[in-house]
């Protein structure tokens, strides 16, 4: 039996792949689920060092006995889930972004677990261009409320992300594909991944999750996070923030790109890493700084300064999305969005 390990890379449609395949596996495949479609927590609990788990508040605050019981229960659940997917006798898909952040010893333990259950393992990974990755990582930080407006909060780290899988499973068992929406089958990563596996996927079963948001929405999110006075910030609950972001996914249509100066600095800082990835792809990754129609920035403060321009449109968008019988927490969103008037 074969295992397909999808090492998700940020903003390459990983959540959509996971949610779609968990609900309807591609024809001829099973999908491994462990307390959710995303195996991030599963990989941590099962294979990573105890000190890594101690970084999680709920785990570090538990007693030794509770931690042991927790890990034992997760291992037993994993065995039951394996029995379920193995019953079909078809290749099994595993997917997590966390796989790429695992240490070499953790990957070795993962390999051992797989080797006990599968005769063959293939690693599949979509690879995003460096500037696209940095833009997406910045966007994710804004969505989760980070106040650090550094233009490079995270870098792709291709070699440290993928080389350990080549070492553990053999380079000939690791496959890469460039993530470029215009080149995806039917313009959709779920359909493309199924095609990569050599099978089809029903259009009606494709689910979309954790999609990108527009530059207009990002500007307002920065204003919400960084320029909201304390008295108003105290009234915006985490649930309201999450729901605001959910409503913002359909607000605006613009994108942002780095200026030539900012892009050149980013690419130069990771040239060796990009060259390593180019060699495996057999073609150079795109290093293009600008795309037609983008808002060009040198720093994220440039986006925050745009927030007042989008405020009226944002309020109208939220107002239209709220129905009369919406929960009170949703109705409270609209006045909470007055934060944008405080953007500099």
């Amino acid at each position: 039996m074969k295992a397909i390990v999808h090492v998700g890379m940020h903003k390459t449609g990983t959540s959509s792949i996971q949610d779609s395949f968990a609900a309807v596996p591609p024809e001829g495949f099973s999908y491994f689920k462990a307390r959710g479609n995303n195996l991030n927590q599963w990989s941590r609990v099962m294979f990573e060092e105890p000190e890594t788990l101690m970084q999680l508040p709920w785990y570090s605050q538990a007693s030794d006995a509770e931690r042991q019981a927790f890990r034992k229960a997760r291992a037993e659940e994993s065995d039951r889930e394996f029995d379920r997917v193995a019953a079909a006798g078809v290749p099994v898909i595993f997917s997590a972004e966390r796989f790429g952040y695992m240490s070499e010893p953790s990957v070795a333990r993962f390999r051992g677990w797989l080797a006990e259950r599968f005769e063959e393992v293939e690693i599949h990974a979509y690879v995003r261009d460096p500037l696209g990755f940095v833009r997406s990582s910045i966007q994710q930080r804004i969505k989760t409320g980070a106040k650090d407006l550094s233009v490079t909060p995270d870098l792709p780290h291709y070699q440290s992300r993928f080389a350990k899988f080549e070492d553990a499973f053999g380079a000939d068992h690791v496959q890469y594909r460039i993530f470029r929406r215009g080149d995806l089958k039917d313009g959709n990563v779920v359909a493309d991944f199924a095609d990569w596996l050599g099978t089809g996927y029903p259009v009606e079963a494709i689910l979309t999750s954790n999609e990108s948001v527009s530059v207009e929405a990002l500007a307002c999110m920065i204003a919400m996070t960084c320029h909201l006075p304390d008295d108003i910030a105290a009234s915006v609950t985490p649930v309201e923030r999450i729901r605001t972001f959910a409503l913002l996914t359909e607000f605006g249509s613009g994108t942002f790109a780095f200026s030539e100066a900012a892009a050149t600095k980013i690419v130069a800082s990771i040239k060796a890493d990009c060259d390593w990835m180019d060699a495996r792809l057999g073609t150079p990754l795109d290093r293009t700084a600008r795309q037609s129609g983008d808002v060009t920035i040198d720093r994220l403060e440039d986006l925050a300064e745009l927030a007042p321009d989008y405020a009226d449109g944002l309020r109208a968008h939220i107002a239209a999305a709220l129905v009369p019988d919406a929960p009170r927490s949703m109705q409270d969103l609209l006045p909470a969005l007055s934060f944008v008037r405080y953007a500099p």
Side-chain angles (χ1 to χ4, degrees):
M1 192 162 58
K2 178 189 291 188
I4 305 293
V5 177
H6 172 223
V7 182
M9 194 172 188
H10 186 57
K11 279 292 182 290
T12 56
T14 300
S15 296
S16 297
I17 289 171
Q18 292 164 349
D19 291 346
S20 298
F21 286 6
V24 180
E27 184 177 359
F29 292 83
S30 293
Y31 186 83
F32 188 93
K33 296 180 284 189
R35 295 212 158 196
N37 306 334
N38 186 331
L39 298 181
N40 282 352
Q41 188 188 92
W42 176 78
S43 65
R44 266 186 158 173
V45 172
M46 292 291 293
F47 309 114
E48 296 189 21
E49 294 81 0
E51 53 266 29
T52 301
L53 280 174
M54 291 296 286
Q55 297 172 8
L56 304 174
W58 58 267
Y59 189 84
S60 63
Q61 294 167 11
S63 67
D64 287 340
E66 289 171 333
R67 292 175 196 143
Q68 292 177 14
F70 174 80
R71 296 184 69 137
K72 181 174 183 291
R74 296 297 85 78
E76 291 172 348
E77 288 177 0
S78 295
D79 289 339
R80 290 193 294 271
E81 175 63 6
F82 172 75
D83 290 341
R84 181 190 72 83
V85 295
V90 296
V92 180
I93 300 170
F94 297 76
S95 176
E97 281 190 22
R98 185 72 192 176
F99 290 153
Y101 295 97
M102 292 168 66
S103 66
E104 290 184 17
S106 300
V107 171
R109 284 189 284 272
F110 185 25
R111 180 197 59 196
W113 187 90
L114 291 168
E116 292 176 359
R117 296 162 174 82
F118 298 92
E119 291 80 29
E120 184 179 355
V121 179
E122 289 185 359
I123 311 299
H124 284 59
Y126 280 100
V127 179
R128 184 144 196 179
D129 68 271
L131 294 172
F133 180 89
V134 175
R135 282 197 300 268
S136 293
S137 68
I138 287 171
Q139 179 182 123
Q140 189 66 18
R141 287 179 61 83
I142 294 171
K143 287 170 65 177
T144 54
K147 293 188 176 182
D148 177 11
L149 296 186
S150 165
V151 78
T152 55
D154 194 14
L155 295 169
H157 301 295
Y158 301 115
Q159 186 168 358
S160 66
R161 186 185 302 270
F162 299 125
K164 57 200 169 200
F165 287 94
E166 295 188 1
D167 293 341
F169 295 94
D172 55 333
H173 290 282
V174 182
Q175 301 182 34
Y176 303 104
R177 182 174 288 199
I178 295 177
F179 179 86
R180 195 160 40 219
R181 289 199 179 274
D183 295 340
L184 298 177
K185 180 178 174 59
D186 301 328
N188 184 275
V189 70
V190 178
D192 192 82
F193 192 34
D195 183 68
W196 192 4
L197 297 174
T199 187
Y201 200 78
V203 174
E204 64 274 13
I206 294 175
L207 301 175
T208 301
S209 308
N210 196 24
E211 285 292 281
S212 299
V213 295
S214 68
V215 67
E216 295 93 333
L218 288 175
C220 293
M221 289 179 187
I222 293 174
M224 180 178 184
T225 300
C226 299
H227 303 289
L228 186 62
D230 292 341
D231 59 331
I232 297 180
S235 69
V236 181
T237 68
V239 170
E240 288 173 341
R241 183 184 294 273
I242 291 170
R243 286 174 170 161
T244 300
F245 292 169
L247 290 173
L248 287 177
T249 57
E250 295 182 359
F251 171 64
S253 59
T255 59
F256 79 90
F258 303 116
S259 67
E260 289 290 341
T264 299
K265 182 178 179 181
I266 293 170
V267 171
S269 72
I270 55 175
K271 181 182 183 304
D273 196 39
C274 291
D275 290 346
W276 182 92
M277 195 71 253
D278 289 349
R280 277 140 183 84
L281 291 167
T283 186
L285 287 163
D286 183 19
R287 273 91 154 161
T288 304
R290 180 171 172 77
Q291 298 174 5
S292 177
D294 286 333
V295 173
T296 304
I297 65 168
D298 287 300
R299 55 199 186 116
L300 291 188
E301 286 88 341
D302 297 345
L303 290 183
E305 292 170 2
L306 297 174
D309 296 337
Y310 306 136
D312 290 343
L314 175 63
R315 278 191 282 268
H317 173 80
I318 297 296
L322 295 179
V323 295
D325 59 348
R328 177 60 186 272
S329 60
M330 291 290 284
Q331 295 179 34
D332 288 345
L333 277 173
L334 192 56
L337 288 174
S338 61
F339 67 81
V340 292
R341 70 175 182 271
Y342 294 99

